[in-house]
Amino acid sequence: MAQQVLTIDGRYLLVEQDDQNAVVYDLHRPPAERAVWDRWSYEAARHEQPPPAPPTPDAPSHPPSPAPPRPEGRRVYQVTSSGDVINRIYSYWSNAFIQDSIGAAFVFVGTRSGPRFFKVDLGTGRVEPLGQLVRYGGETEGWYWDARGKVMIIDGPRLRRVNPFDSGDDEVLFDISSIRPGCDLWQPHSSDNGRVHSATVRQITSGAYPKIGTVVAEDGMMQVFDAEGDLDESHIDASGRFLITEESHNNRIIDLETHATHRISNAEGALAHIDCGHGFMVGENDQRGACEWMNLAHPGERRVLFQTWGMGHVSVRGHRVLLSTDALINLINLGGGIEPLVEHHMVGSGYDYQVRANLDPTGRIACYVSNNGGGGFDAFLLLI
């Protein structure tokens, strides 16, 4: 398998190929000009002979499934143009939802005047502003679409599932008021089937609210897992079986069916900046400088997807992994390999100037926010 190393600025990609050649790509150049150095050309210039290529392996008995077709038309759609979007989107929350029956995507973002929804025709790129649609305000941080076209919204101690197209379809999934009075919810996540949910529990006090644990709710039944350290965030995987917490730079993986718990210290390679698929998570191992895949049922089973220091942000949906770096939005192959998709042209420093592209629930389109070279923030859709 080819090994790949991406520089921290997202510009240069070193690929160690299976034939023992190595190629450096400048990802800021046009595709035809990206290969700027390779080992065999360098050795040939020094009159050195490349090593013999390894034998070609037998073809697999079952050919790999073809990649899903890419939508026709423009690659990137600009959703807003006012410059008043607030960059509060995150890689693990979906800001876009595809409605295949009409060939359109629906997008929400937070703006200076409140939440705003948009409809984007995926054939023509035409954008139709829809307004606020829901009765809840704020910057939409912590909101996300589920697989059925409803929006998950934190409302103090409650997690709601709201249909933005039907004002009467507003469901409270769970409420921690009775089991943790004086607390609210933060950082929610849901399984793909919409039955299992997790959220960080915060104590309401003056100043920053301390994160005291994680609540998991399944079909309305709740259980709370107290924090064992400085709780950063927690996740439920897409299957709804595994809870993962990031505490004091360590991982705790809890099997919600058996209650078996596996702890991984930072020194042992705990992952950070994670997102989860069905039974696995992807994140950064800062002990070996790598983006890694980990099997949640057997945490010892893990593999390096690519080498990196300062990984960026990953989004996992529909068996795809999206990576946002300082310069590029990339697609990561779970078998290894990186495909640069688009430069996002964000200019500025600090957390608000980080691009955190997220995939829709199917993994076919991505939403991200950029200032497109300077100025105010706007929202964009990337068709993958």
Side-chain angles (χ1 to χ4, degrees):
M1 181 185 301
Q3 298 296 313
Q4 307 199 18
V5 180
L6 185 70
T7 58
I8 192 170
D9 61 1
R11 176 166 185 174
Y12 294 101
L13 179 67
L14 169 64
V15 179
E16 292 277 357
Q17 299 179 161
D18 292 335
D19 61 2
Q20 300 185 36
N21 192 18
V23 183
V24 174
Y25 296 93
D26 183 346
L27 302 181
H28 285 192
R29 294 191 177 193
E33 303 173 6
R34 284 178 177 165
V36 294
W37 182 91
D38 72 89
R39 178 185 293 155
W40 286 1
S41 296
Y42 172 76
E43 291 173 346
R46 296 180 53 179
H47 307 291
E48 298 178 6
Q49 294 297 317
T56 302
D58 293 334
S61 57
H62 300 285
S65 301
R70 290 182 175 173
E72 297 178 356
R74 292 184 301 163
R75 187 68 171 267
V76 176
Y77 296 151
Q78 184 164 344
V79 180
T80 69
S81 56
S82 60
D84 69 343
V85 171
I86 298 172
N87 189 15
R88 290 293 186 271
I89 77 171
Y90 287 77
S91 55
Y92 41 63
W93 291 321
S94 296
N95 279 73
F97 169 78
I98 298 177
Q99 189 168 334
D100 286 310
S101 61
I102 61 173
F106 293 94
V107 179
F108 68 80
V109 290
T111 71
R112 294 189 182 94
S113 55
R116 291 294 180 267
F117 286 75
F118 302 86
K119 176 183 174 183
V120 182
D121 187 306
L122 296 179
T124 66
R126 180 178 178 272
V127 178
E128 179 185 351
L130 301 177
Q132 183 162 336
L133 292 187
V134 297
R135 64 186 180 89
Y136 303 97
E139 299 176 347
T140 74
E141 187 171 0
W143 295 19
Y144 52 99
W145 291 96
D146 73 1
R148 296 151 194 82
K150 297 185 180 182
V151 180
M152 312 296 291
I153 296 176
I154 287 289
D155 176 28
R158 295 166 290 276
L159 180 66
R160 293 181 177 272
R161 181 161 52 202
V162 179
N163 185 343
F165 311 109
D166 180 356
S167 60
D169 189 356
D170 185 340
E171 176 187 8
V172 175
L173 295 173
F174 67 93
D175 184 342
I176 63 167
S177 299
S178 60
I179 62 171
R180 288 296 187 273
C183 294
D184 72 357
L185 299 176
W186 192 233
Q187 294 171 315
H189 296 279
S190 301
S191 62
D192 279 358
N193 63 12
R195 292 183 54 192
V196 188
H197 313 275
S198 71
T200 301
V201 179
R202 303 188 304 183
Q203 186 81 48
I204 300 175
T205 63
S206 58
Y209 293 177
K211 302 173 182 178
I212 62 173
T214 300
V215 60
V216 174
E218 181 172 5
D219 298 331
M221 301 296 293
M222 294 178 288
Q223 53 184 325
V224 176
F225 298 87
D226 294 333
E228 292 186 348
D230 184 9
L231 178 60
D232 180 18
E233 57 185 307
S234 54
H235 299 255
I236 202 79
D237 84 309
S239 74
R241 176 172 177 174
F242 298 98
L243 173 69
I244 305 95
T245 66
E246 299 179 52
E247 302 167 303
S248 301
H249 305 289
N250 306 319
N251 292 152
R252 184 166 39 137
I253 302 171
I254 302 170
D255 186 329
L256 297 171
E257 291 186 3
T258 67
H259 286 273
T261 300
H262 190 95
R263 293 173 175 81
I264 306 172
S265 70
N266 187 46
E268 293 170 329
L271 301 186
H273 308 296
I274 68 171
D275 199 12
C276 300
H278 278 259
F280 69 89
M281 66 175 173
V282 174
E284 182 177 10
N285 178 350
D286 65 5
Q287 300 301 295
R288 62 186 302 180
C291 174
E292 293 188 346
W293 173 96
M294 182 186 295
N295 184 338
L296 295 172
H298 305 283
E301 182 184 339
R302 54 202 297 173
R303 63 176 178 265
V304 173
L305 299 180
F306 64 94
Q307 301 293 148
T308 180
W309 296 102
M311 178 188 69
H313 302 277
V314 292
S315 178
V316 181
R317 295 290 184 277
H319 305 290
R320 277 180 160 159
V321 181
L322 201 69
L323 169 69
S324 303
T325 68
D326 291 342
L328 293 165
I329 298 172
N330 312 268
L331 191 64
I332 301 174
N333 187 329
L334 287 177
I338 302 173
E339 177 188 352
L341 297 178
V342 69
E343 296 183 51
H344 51 64
H345 303 296
M346 178 72 90
V347 173
S349 60
Y351 194 74
D352 281 347
Y353 292 89
Q354 292 183 15
V355 169
R356 298 176 288 271
N358 57 63
L359 290 164
D360 80 286
T362 68
R364 290 182 287 161
I365 59 173
C367 183
Y368 65 96
V369 167
S370 172
N371 60 14
N372 207 25
F377 296 120
D378 280 301
F380 299 80
L381 279 187
L382 168 63
L383 278 67
I384 304 171

mmCIF file of all heavy atoms in Angstrom, residues 135-165:
data_model
loop_
_atom_site.group_PDB
_atom_site.id
_atom_site.type_symbol
_atom_site.label_atom_id
_atom_site.label_comp_id
_atom_site.label_asym_id
_atom_site.label_seq_id
_atom_site.Cartn_x
_atom_site.Cartn_y
_atom_site.Cartn_z
ATOM 1 N N ARG A 135 -38.213 28.039 14.787
ATOM 2 C CA ARG A 135 -38.435 29.091 15.789
ATOM 3 C C ARG A 135 -37.256 29.277 16.737
ATOM 4 O O ARG A 135 -37.332 30.091 17.654
ATOM 5 C CB ARG A 135 -39.701 28.782 16.587
ATOM 6 C CG ARG A 135 -39.640 27.503 17.422
ATOM 7 C CD ARG A 135 -40.991 27.231 18.049
ATOM 8 N NE ARG A 135 -41.020 26.021 18.859
ATOM 9 C CZ ARG A 135 -40.720 25.969 20.157
ATOM 10 N NH1 ARG A 135 -40.343 27.070 20.797
ATOM 11 N NH2 ARG A 135 -40.793 24.822 20.825
ATOM 12 N N TYR A 136 -36.187 28.542 16.526
ATOM 13 C CA TYR A 136 -35.040 28.609 17.418
ATOM 14 C C TYR A 136 -33.985 29.553 16.841
ATOM 15 O O TYR A 136 -33.757 29.586 15.635
ATOM 16 C CB TYR A 136 -34.450 27.217 17.644
ATOM 17 C CG TYR A 136 -35.482 26.260 18.183
ATOM 18 C CD1 TYR A 136 -36.166 25.394 17.338
ATOM 19 C CD2 TYR A 136 -35.800 26.266 19.538
ATOM 20 C CE1 TYR A 136 -37.143 24.546 17.821
ATOM 21 C CE2 TYR A 136 -36.785 25.418 20.038
ATOM 22 C CZ TYR A 136 -37.451 24.563 19.174
ATOM 23 O OH TYR A 136 -38.433 23.734 19.667
ATOM 24 N N GLY A 137 -33.354 30.329 17.717
ATOM 25 C CA GLY A 137 -32.346 31.287 17.282
ATOM 26 C C GLY A 137 -30.942 30.799 17.555
ATOM 27 O O GLY A 137 -30.703 29.623 17.820
ATOM 28 N N GLY A 138 -29.985 31.720 17.480
ATOM 29 C CA GLY A 138 -28.591 31.396 17.746
ATOM 30 C C GLY A 138 -27.773 31.295 16.480
ATOM 31 O O GLY A 138 -28.232 31.620 15.373
ATOM 32 N N GLU A 139 -26.549 30.816 16.658
ATOM 33 C CA GLU A 139 -25.586 30.752 15.558
ATOM 34 C C GLU A 139 -25.579 29.390 14.881
ATOM 35 O O GLU A 139 -24.738 29.130 14.019
ATOM 36 C CB GLU A 139 -24.189 31.094 16.079
ATOM 37 C CG GLU A 139 -24.103 32.503 16.668
ATOM 38 C CD GLU A 139 -22.743 32.819 17.271
ATOM 39 O OE1 GLU A 139 -21.941 31.867 17.459
ATOM 40 O OE2 GLU A 139 -22.476 34.004 17.537
ATOM 41 N N THR A 140 -26.475 28.498 15.260
ATOM 42 C CA THR A 140 -26.637 27.124 14.751
ATOM 43 C C THR A 140 -25.482 26.208 15.139
ATOM 44 O O THR A 140 -25.363 25.110 14.601
ATOM 45 C CB THR A 140 -26.838 27.072 13.215
ATOM 46 O OG1 THR A 140 -25.616 27.334 12.527
ATOM 47 C CG2 THR A 140 -27.919 28.042 12.759
ATOM 48 N N GLU A 141 -24.634 26.627 16.059
ATOM 49 C CA GLU A 141 -23.564 25.746 16.519
ATOM 50 C C GLU A 141 -24.186 24.570 17.262
ATOM 51 O O GLU A 141 -24.969 24.745 18.191
ATOM 52 C CB GLU A 141 -22.610 26.508 17.435
ATOM 53 C CG GLU A 141 -21.366 25.734 17.825
ATOM 54 C CD GLU A 141 -20.352 26.603 18.558
ATOM 55 O OE1 GLU A 141 -20.617 27.797 18.765
ATOM 56 O OE2 GLU A 141 -19.287 26.065 18.927
ATOM 57 N N GLY A 142 -23.853 23.358 16.858
ATOM 58 C CA GLY A 142 -24.428 22.173 17.467
ATOM 59 C C GLY A 142 -25.670 21.660 16.769
ATOM 60 O O GLY A 142 -26.216 20.626 17.154
ATOM 61 N N TRP A 143 -26.138 22.344 15.710
ATOM 62 C CA TRP A 143 -27.254 21.831 14.911
ATOM 63 C C TRP A 143 -26.712 20.892 13.836
ATOM 64 O O TRP A 143 -25.589 21.053 13.363
ATOM 65 C CB TRP A 143 -27.983 22.974 14.220
ATOM 66 C CG TRP A 143 -28.687 23.960 15.097
ATOM 67 C CD1 TRP A 143 -28.486 24.192 16.426
ATOM 68 C CD2 TRP A 143 -29.701 24.882 14.681
ATOM 69 N NE1 TRP A 143 -29.302 25.186 16.868
ATOM 70 C CE2 TRP A 143 -30.061 25.646 15.811
ATOM 71 C CE3 TRP A 143 -30.328 25.135 13.470
ATOM 72 C CZ2 TRP A 143 -31.035 26.637 15.754
ATOM 73 C CZ3 TRP A 143 -31.291 26.127 13.414
ATOM 74 C CH2 TRP A 143 -31.645 26.874 14.545
ATOM 75 N N TYR A 144 -27.528 19.926 13.415
ATOM 76 C CA TYR A 144 -27.116 19.073 12.303
ATOM 77 C C TYR A 144 -28.327 18.362 11.717
ATOM 78 O O TYR A 144 -29.321 18.102 12.393
ATOM 79 C CB TYR A 144 -26.063 18.043 12.731
ATOM 80 C CG TYR A 144 -26.413 17.195 13.938
ATOM 81 C CD1 TYR A 144 -26.923 15.896 13.800
ATOM 82 C CD2 TYR A 144 -26.205 17.670 15.232
ATOM 83 C CE1 TYR A 144 -27.224 15.111 14.904
ATOM 84 C CE2 TYR A 144 -26.501 16.901 16.343
ATOM 85 C CZ TYR A 144 -27.011 15.624 16.176
ATOM 86 O OH TYR A 144 -27.316 14.851 17.279
ATOM 87 N N TRP A 145 -28.233 18.063 10.403
ATOM 88 C CA TRP A 145 -29.275 17.302 9.722
ATOM 89 C C TRP A 145 -29.133 15.820 10.059
ATOM 90 O O TRP A 145 -28.026 15.296 10.155
ATOM 91 C CB TRP A 145 -29.138 17.434 8.200
ATOM 92 C CG TRP A 145 -29.432 18.781 7.634
ATOM 93 C CD1 TRP A 145 -28.524 19.756 7.342
ATOM 94 C CD2 TRP A 145 -30.712 19.305 7.235
ATOM 95 N NE1 TRP A 145 -29.156 20.855 6.795
ATOM 96 C CE2 TRP A 145 -30.502 20.591 6.717
ATOM 97 C CE3 TRP A 145 -32.010 18.790 7.270
ATOM 98 C CZ2 TRP A 145 -31.543 21.386 6.237
ATOM 99 C CZ3 TRP A 145 -33.053 19.578 6.793
ATOM 100 C CH2 TRP A 145 -32.820 20.861 6.287
ATOM 101 N N ASP A 146 -30.266 15.138 10.194
ATOM 102 C CA ASP A 146 -30.208 13.685 10.275
ATOM 103 C C ASP A 146 -30.489 13.101 8.897
ATOM 104 O O ASP A 146 -30.707 13.828 7.918
ATOM 105 C CB ASP A 146 -31.159 13.144 11.353
ATOM 106 C CG ASP A 146 -32.638 13.210 10.976
ATOM 107 O OD1 ASP A 146 -32.969 13.665 9.852
ATOM 108 O OD2 ASP A 146 -33.472 12.808 11.808
ATOM 109 N N ALA A 147 -30.493 11.779 8.796
ATOM 110 C CA ALA A 147 -30.611 11.119 7.493
ATOM 111 C C ALA A 147 -32.003 11.256 6.894
ATOM 112 O O ALA A 147 -32.194 10.926 5.716
ATOM 113 C CB ALA A 147 -30.247 9.646 7.634
ATOM 114 N N ARG A 148 -32.971 11.755 7.663
ATOM 115 C CA ARG A 148 -34.348 11.856 7.188
ATOM 116 C C ARG A 148 -34.766 13.286 6.894
ATOM 117 O O ARG A 148 -35.950 13.561 6.662
ATOM 118 C CB ARG A 148 -35.299 11.230 8.218
ATOM 119 C CG ARG A 148 -35.050 9.740 8.398
ATOM 120 C CD ARG A 148 -35.412 9.242 9.771
ATOM 121 N NE ARG A 148 -34.857 7.905 9.994
ATOM 122 C CZ ARG A 148 -33.624 7.661 10.371
ATOM 123 N NH1 ARG A 148 -32.781 8.669 10.581
ATOM 124 N NH2 ARG A 148 -33.183 6.441 10.539
ATOM 125 N N GLY A 149 -33.817 14.203 6.931
ATOM 126 C CA GLY A 149 -34.131 15.582 6.592
ATOM 127 C C GLY A 149 -34.712 16.394 7.725
ATOM 128 O O GLY A 149 -35.403 17.392 7.497
ATOM 129 N N LYS A 150 -34.438 15.979 8.956
ATOM 130 C CA LYS A 150 -34.819 16.774 10.117
ATOM 131 C C LYS A 150 -33.557 17.334 10.775
ATOM 132 O O LYS A 150 -32.469 16.804 10.581
ATOM 133 C CB LYS A 150 -35.634 15.940 11.112
ATOM 134 C CG LYS A 150 -36.959 15.464 10.527
ATOM 135 C CD LYS A 150 -37.810 14.738 11.555
ATOM 136 C CE LYS A 150 -39.125 14.273 10.932
ATOM 137 N NZ LYS A 150 -39.999 13.610 11.937
ATOM 138 N N VAL A 151 -33.734 18.392 11.547
ATOM 139 C CA VAL A 151 -32.595 19.090 12.141
ATOM 140 C C VAL A 151 -32.578 18.834 13.639
ATOM 141 O O VAL A 151 -33.589 19.018 14.327
ATOM 142 C CB VAL A 151 -32.663 20.605 11.852
ATOM 143 C CG1 VAL A 151 -31.469 21.318 12.467
ATOM 144 C CG2 VAL A 151 -32.705 20.862 10.345
ATOM 145 N N MET A 152 -31.426 18.394 14.133
ATOM 146 C CA MET A 152 -31.222 18.182 15.562
ATOM 147 C C MET A 152 -30.774 19.500 16.183
ATOM 148 O O MET A 152 -29.829 20.139 15.693
ATOM 149 C CB MET A 152 -30.164 17.099 15.790
ATOM 150 C CG MET A 152 -30.377 15.839 14.947
ATOM 151 S SD MET A 152 -31.884 14.956 15.336
ATOM 152 C CE MET A 152 -31.484 14.345 16.962
ATOM 153 N N ILE A 153 -31.450 19.894 17.261
ATOM 154 C CA ILE A 153 -31.204 21.201 17.877
ATOM 155 C C ILE A 153 -31.117 21.038 19.388
ATOM 156 O O ILE A 153 -32.005 20.443 20.015
ATOM 157 C CB ILE A 153 -32.318 22.204 17.511
ATOM 158 C CG1 ILE A 153 -32.315 22.477 15.999
ATOM 159 C CG2 ILE A 153 -32.166 23.499 18.294
ATOM 160 C CD1 ILE A 153 -33.446 23.395 15.547
ATOM 161 N N ILE A 154 -30.061 21.583 19.981
ATOM 162 C CA ILE A 154 -29.948 21.656 21.434
ATOM 163 C C ILE A 154 -30.804 22.816 21.934
ATOM 164 O O ILE A 154 -30.727 23.935 21.435
ATOM 165 C CB ILE A 154 -28.481 21.873 21.855
ATOM 166 C CG1 ILE A 154 -27.668 20.587 21.651
ATOM 167 C CG2 ILE A 154 -28.377 22.334 23.300
ATOM 168 C CD1 ILE A 154 -28.012 19.491 22.637
ATOM 169 N N ASP A 155 -31.624 22.541 22.940
ATOM 170 C CA ASP A 155 -32.498 23.542 23.542
ATOM 171 C C ASP A 155 -32.345 23.453 25.058
ATOM 172 O O ASP A 155 -33.148 22.831 25.746
ATOM 173 C CB ASP A 155 -33.945 23.283 23.100
ATOM 174 C CG ASP A 155 -34.952 24.211 23.762
ATOM 175 O OD1 ASP A 155 -34.573 25.345 24.118
ATOM 176 O OD2 ASP A 155 -36.127 23.792 23.917
ATOM 177 N N GLY A 156 -31.248 24.049 25.576
ATOM 178 C CA GLY A 156 -30.982 23.963 27.013
ATOM 179 C C GLY A 156 -30.723 22.535 27.433
ATOM 180 O O GLY A 156 -29.780 21.886 26.955
ATOM 181 N N PRO A 157 -31.569 21.952 28.309
ATOM 182 C CA PRO A 157 -31.364 20.567 28.755
ATOM 183 C C PRO A 157 -32.000 19.530 27.829
ATOM 184 O O PRO A 157 -32.003 18.348 28.149
ATOM 185 C CB PRO A 157 -32.061 20.552 30.120
ATOM 186 C CG PRO A 157 -33.185 21.530 29.970
ATOM 187 C CD PRO A 157 -32.654 22.615 29.065
ATOM 188 N N ARG A 158 -32.537 19.972 26.701
ATOM 189 C CA ARG A 158 -33.268 19.079 25.802
ATOM 190 C C ARG A 158 -32.567 18.958 24.441
ATOM 191 O O ARG A 158 -31.981 19.924 23.950
ATOM 192 C CB ARG A 158 -34.691 19.607 25.563
ATOM 193 C CG ARG A 158 -35.572 19.611 26.794
ATOM 194 C CD ARG A 158 -36.815 20.440 26.582
ATOM 195 N NE ARG A 158 -36.482 21.865 26.509
ATOM 196 C CZ ARG A 158 -36.329 22.657 27.572
ATOM 197 N NH1 ARG A 158 -36.504 22.158 28.790
ATOM 198 N NH2 ARG A 158 -36.019 23.925 27.424
ATOM 199 N N LEU A 159 -32.693 17.778 23.844
ATOM 200 C CA LEU A 159 -32.316 17.594 22.446
ATOM 201 C C LEU A 159 -33.598 17.429 21.651
ATOM 202 O O LEU A 159 -34.417 16.554 21.939
ATOM 203 C CB LEU A 159 -31.425 16.370 22.259
ATOM 204 C CG LEU A 159 -30.990 16.103 20.800
ATOM 205 C CD1 LEU A 159 -30.085 17.211 20.288
ATOM 206 C CD2 LEU A 159 -30.293 14.750 20.664
ATOM 207 N N ARG A 160 -33.763 18.287 20.639
ATOM 208 C CA ARG A 160 -34.970 18.278 19.816
ATOM 209 C C ARG A 160 -34.654 17.773 18.413
ATOM 210 O O ARG A 160 -33.541 17.952 17.913
ATOM 211 C CB ARG A 160 -35.566 19.684 19.707
ATOM 212 C CG ARG A 160 -36.110 20.232 21.014
ATOM 213 C CD ARG A 160 -36.715 21.616 20.825
ATOM 214 N NE ARG A 160 -37.304 22.118 22.045
ATOM 215 C CZ ARG A 160 -38.569 21.903 22.433
ATOM 216 N NH1 ARG A 160 -39.363 21.176 21.646
ATOM 217 N NH2 ARG A 160 -39.032 22.382 23.563
ATOM 218 N N ARG A 161 -35.667 17.181 17.776
ATOM 219 C CA ARG A 161 -35.604 16.818 16.364
ATOM 220 C C ARG A 161 -36.740 17.582 15.677
ATOM 221 O O ARG A 161 -37.913 17.328 15.926
ATOM 222 C CB ARG A 161 -35.745 15.309 16.180
ATOM 223 C CG ARG A 161 -35.654 14.874 14.714
ATOM 224 C CD ARG A 161 -35.322 13.383 14.600
ATOM 225 N NE ARG A 161 -36.206 12.550 15.377
ATOM 226 C CZ ARG A 161 -35.897 11.310 15.783
ATOM 227 N NH1 ARG A 161 -34.729 10.777 15.484
ATOM 228 N NH2 ARG A 161 -36.757 10.596 16.483
ATOM 229 N N VAL A 162 -36.352 18.511 14.799
ATOM 230 C CA VAL A 162 -37.294 19.474 14.246
ATOM 231 C C VAL A 162 -37.365 19.317 12.731
ATOM 232 O O VAL A 162 -36.329 19.225 12.057
ATOM 233 C CB VAL A 162 -36.864 20.915 14.598
ATOM 234 C CG1 VAL A 162 -37.824 21.932 14.009
ATOM 235 C CG2 VAL A 162 -36.760 21.085 16.114
ATOM 236 N N ASN A 163 -38.575 19.311 12.211
ATOM 237 C CA ASN A 163 -38.777 19.324 10.761
ATOM 238 C C ASN A 163 -38.900 20.780 10.327
ATOM 239 O O ASN A 163 -39.908 21.428 10.633
ATOM 240 C CB ASN A 163 -40.039 18.541 10.398
ATOM 241 C CG ASN A 163 -40.246 18.416 8.902
ATOM 242 O OD1 ASN A 163 -39.654 19.149 8.115
ATOM 243 N ND2 ASN A 163 -41.100 17.489 8.501
ATOM 244 N N PRO A 164 -37.914 21.328 9.620
ATOM 245 C CA PRO A 164 -37.990 22.755 9.268
ATOM 246 C C PRO A 164 -39.084 23.067 8.261
ATOM 247 O O PRO A 164 -39.427 24.239 8.066
ATOM 248 C CB PRO A 164 -36.600 23.044 8.691
ATOM 249 C CG PRO A 164 -36.108 21.735 8.197
ATOM 250 C CD PRO A 164 -36.675 20.711 9.128
ATOM 251 N N PHE A 165 -39.636 22.040 7.623
ATOM 252 C CA PHE A 165 -40.672 22.245 6.611
ATOM 253 C C PHE A 165 -42.078 21.997 7.161
ATOM 254 O O PHE A 165 -43.058 22.084 6.432
ATOM 255 C CB PHE A 165 -40.399 21.330 5.412
ATOM 256 C CG PHE A 165 -38.975 21.401 4.938
ATOM 257 C CD1 PHE A 165 -38.111 20.339 5.140
ATOM 258 C CD2 PHE A 165 -38.487 22.548 4.330
ATOM 259 C CE1 PHE A 165 -36.783 20.412 4.721
ATOM 260 C CE2 PHE A 165 -37.170 22.630 3.912
ATOM 261 C CZ PHE A 165 -36.312 21.562 4.112
#
